[in-house]
């Protein structure tokens, strides 16, 4: 295996801290740097977009130890993501670290959900190695957008299509999600894109669709490469206009489709959504009835005492906590505090200052009436 360079000493602190809590799980990122140059990459938000060559922050064994020693990690409960923030896990110089990390988690006999997101090449030998994992519940999410503008996405979407086909033909235990993102109004939402996405979705256990993070850093980059603003506004949450969603739902009528990553993952594994979206019932109106029943059975409104105990572990003040049939509401919280409670209870947790409006499905207000 070709060895990665050690990460430079001036690596931003947000990247040197290899464990971060995100909505789809506790995220482990001890390899940073990516040559794929997707213009909308979240690495813009971490001041790391210009690092094209992957670097190693710490070795795999130390990284796994850091993950499982994290205050928020719960064996067999906490969902985990590997290399989803600063590199692609299947790059040739990265995937050996991916396998090593997965195998170390599996050696410890954890049964946690583990999510791996890629748009790169997966070959049959890779699948053989993934299929040897016996304990962790692994999901590979293959990202595809169909964007042909090389300024925005230099990587041919055919690479992801080939990886999806390889997985479809070879997996038994591993689950596969067709991760249709980012869908951008007027760019990759044509009838031809929708038709191709429907075909590709048939190769996976489920399809999940989502929109574009359009933060100021990303808009600024688009302008430097000559791409006009894709939307008139920037937003904290992903932008996915209501009209685009309507066209997607029409195009996928009769085929399994999910708005949320964790919903698709739960369906693929035959378990309830680990993010507790069932409380926000309008999200569920496109889910298969079988999945809705699973999530309904798992939906239990927690007690004030249980929430306050978890809030205490997360360092969150408990005086302003409110609980209803849809969500837990807290104040002055950080994302990792909310997500820890959310995954521990399988129940949505929202901050008062950042409300999720009904029927927006946690999306930006841009494009909604």
């Amino acid at each position: 295996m070709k060895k990665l360079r050690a990460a430079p000493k001036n690596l931003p602190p947000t990247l040197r801290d290899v464990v971060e809590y995100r909505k789809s799980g506790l995220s482990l990122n001890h390899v940073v740097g990516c040559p794929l140059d997707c213009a909308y990459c979240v690495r813009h938000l971490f001041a790391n977009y210009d690092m094209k060559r992957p670097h190693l922050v710490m070795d795999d064994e130390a990284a796994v130890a850091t993950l499982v020693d994290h205050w928020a990690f719960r064996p067999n409960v906490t969902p985990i993501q590997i290399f989803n923030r600063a590199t692609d896990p299947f790059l040739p110089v990265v995937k050996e670290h991916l396998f090593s990390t997965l195998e170390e988690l599996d050696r410890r006999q954890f049964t946690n959900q583990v999510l791996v997101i890629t748009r790169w090449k997966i070959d049959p030998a890779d699948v053989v190695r993934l299929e040897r994992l016996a304990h962790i519940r692994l999901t590979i999410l293959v990202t595809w957008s169909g964007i042909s503008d090389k300024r925005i996405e230099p990587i041919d979407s055919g690479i992801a299509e080939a990886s999806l086909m390889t997985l479809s033909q070879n997996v038994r235990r591993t689950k596969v999600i067709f991760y249709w993102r980012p869908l951008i109004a007027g760019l990759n939402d044509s009838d031809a894109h929708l038709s191709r996405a429907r075909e590709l979705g048939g190769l996976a256990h489920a399809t999940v669709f989502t929109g574009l993070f359009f933060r100021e850093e990303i808009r600024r980059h688009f302008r430097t490469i000559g791409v006009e603003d894709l939307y008139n506004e920037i937003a904290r949450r992903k932008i996915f206009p209501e009209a685009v969603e309507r066209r997607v739902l029409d195009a996928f009528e009769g085929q399994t489709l999910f708005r949320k990553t964790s919903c698709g993952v739960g369906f693929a594994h035959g378990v309830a959504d680990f993010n507790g979206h069932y409380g926000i019932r309008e999200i569920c109106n496109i889910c298969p009835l079988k999945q809705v029943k699973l999530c309904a059975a798992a939906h239990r409104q927690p007690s004030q005492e249980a929430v306050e105990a978890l809030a205490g572990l997360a360092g969150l003040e408990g005086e302003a906590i409110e609980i209803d049939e849809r969500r837990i509401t807290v104040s002055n919280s950080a994302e990792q505090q909310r997500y820890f409670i959310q995954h521990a209870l399988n129940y949505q947790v929202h901050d008062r200052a950042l409300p999720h409006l009904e029927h927006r499905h946690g999306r930006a207000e841009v494009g909604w009436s």
Side-chain angles (χ1 to χ4, degrees), residues 115-134:
L115 283 62
V116 175
I117 303 170
T118 184
R119 66 178 337 109
W120 197 239
K121 301 172 184 175
I122 300 176
D123 59 44
D126 296 331
V127 182
V128 168
R129 194 161 177 182
L130 296 174
E131 286 287 293
R132 291 179 187 144
L133 301 168

Side-chain angles (χ1 to χ4, degrees), residues 267-295:
F267 174 79
H269 287 271
V271 298
D273 160 36
F274 59 72
N275 267 314
H277 285 113
Y278 182 80
I280 316 301
R281 199 66 48 80
E282 62 268 19
I283 291 175
C284 310
N285 66 359
I286 64 171
C287 299
L289 180 60
K290 179 181 178 181
Q291 186 62 27
V292 174
K293 289 180 177 179
L294 271 176
C295 293

